[in-house]
Amino acid sequence: MFRSRSKDGQAATPQVSDAEPQQTRDPEAPKGRPTPKRSEAQSQRRTLAKAPANRKEAAKRQREARRTDMAKQREALASGDERYLPPRDKGPVRRFARDFVDSRWSVAEFFLPMAVVILVLSMLPSLQLKNISLLLWLVVIIMIILDSVGIAVRLKKRLRERYPDEPKRGAVAYALMRTLQMRRMRLPKPQVKRGEKP
């Protein structure tokens, strides 16, 4: 019952001999990912090694991460770098819509200066100037509507020709909202000159 194994049984167990080397990974075989730079690896090790001690520390790290993301977004809005743009500005369709608007003059971009002039006229005591200001309001609004309809029709046509398979939902409204901003105030910054084809 409690006897030791026989020598035959011991011989049957597989043993690794010195003649058969163990299988090792080929040093030339690809590992499926690029080797990180030393600085990146060290920063990852530091962040992994120093887990937040409490909720206050975790909140501080989140704020710092949010701050760096916002800084990257601001730089992208100034330079037009697609990688860090906010989701509403990303994609080839939105880029084309921006370029389409930025490459031409539009009535809507002069709405703010014209509104200031009309407001000043309406505040003057003369009844005739007040009537003129009301007429100017009407003319400006009609011009903006006609111009916006023209931009929307042309942009829809160009988007259908250029990006037949891409989702185009909201691109026209996005472009029309951009026309309401003065060119130097637009974000992301215009990447094309006036008169240049997008």
Side-chain angles (χ1 to χ4, degrees):
M1 187 168 142
F2 293 109
R3 65 176 182 230
S4 64
R5 286 186 187 170
S6 65
K7 288 183 181 178
D8 297 336
Q10 286 178 352
T13 57
Q15 291 184 0
V16 180
S17 65
D18 296 334
E20 292 179 43
Q22 288 184 345
Q23 282 242 334
T24 57
R25 189 168 93 57
D26 181 12
E28 297 295 317
K31 60 182 178 286
R33 60 182 171 79
T35 304
K37 292 181 182 174
R38 180 179 287 184
S39 59
E40 290 172 5
Q42 285 175 346
S43 66
Q44 284 175 354
R45 277 200 300 271
R46 279 193 210 107
T47 53
L48 289 173
K50 296 180 183 177
N54 51 27
R55 283 170 55 191
K56 201 172 185 180
E57 181 71 24
K60 185 181 175 185
R61 283 191 186 182
Q62 279 184 338
R63 276 197 305 273
E64 286 173 3
R66 202 177 308 122
R67 203 173 291 131
T68 55
D69 288 346
M70 291 301 288
K72 281 181 181 177
Q73 271 193 12
R74 274 195 299 275
E75 285 175 26
L77 287 170
S79 65
D81 187 357
E82 284 278 334
R83 293 173 298 168
Y84 302 114
L85 284 176
R88 71 182 177 93
D89 297 312
K90 276 187 178 175
V93 172
R94 296 294 170 110
R95 184 181 181 88
F96 182 79
R98 286 196 303 271
D99 292 347
F100 186 85
V101 168
D102 295 337
S103 66
R104 63 193 66 236
W105 296 92
S106 63
V107 180
E109 69 183 283
F110 300 107
F111 174 72
L112 281 176
M114 287 189 289
V116 170
V117 170
I118 292 168
L119 278 172
V120 169
L121 286 174
S122 66
M123 289 165 67
L124 294 174
S126 170
L127 186 65
Q128 192 175 5
L129 288 176
K130 285 184 181 179
N131 289 336
I132 289 170
S133 69
L134 281 171
L135 188 65
L136 282 173
W137 269 124
L138 189 64
V139 168
V140 166
I141 288 167
I142 289 170
M143 284 172 64
I144 288 173
I145 289 169
L146 291 174
D147 190 40
S148 298
V149 168
I151 288 172
V153 168
R154 288 195 300 272
L155 180 58
K156 272 184 188 175
K157 185 183 174 189
R158 294 286 298 277
L159 285 173
R160 276 198 302 269
E161 290 170 0
R162 199 155 190 171
Y163 303 102
D165 302 327
E166 293 278 338
K168 295 174 274 296
R169 187 176 177 182
V172 174
Y174 172 76
L176 292 177
M177 287 301 292
R178 193 169 172 86
T179 61
L180 288 169
Q181 301 164 337
M182 295 177 74
R183 185 180 166 88
R184 67 179 67 178
M185 308 287 283
R186 292 174 185 168
L187 288 173
K189 295 279 185 193
Q191 303 292 313
V192 294
K193 294 176 182 176
R194 290 197 199 269
E196 193 178 323
K197 281 194 174 183

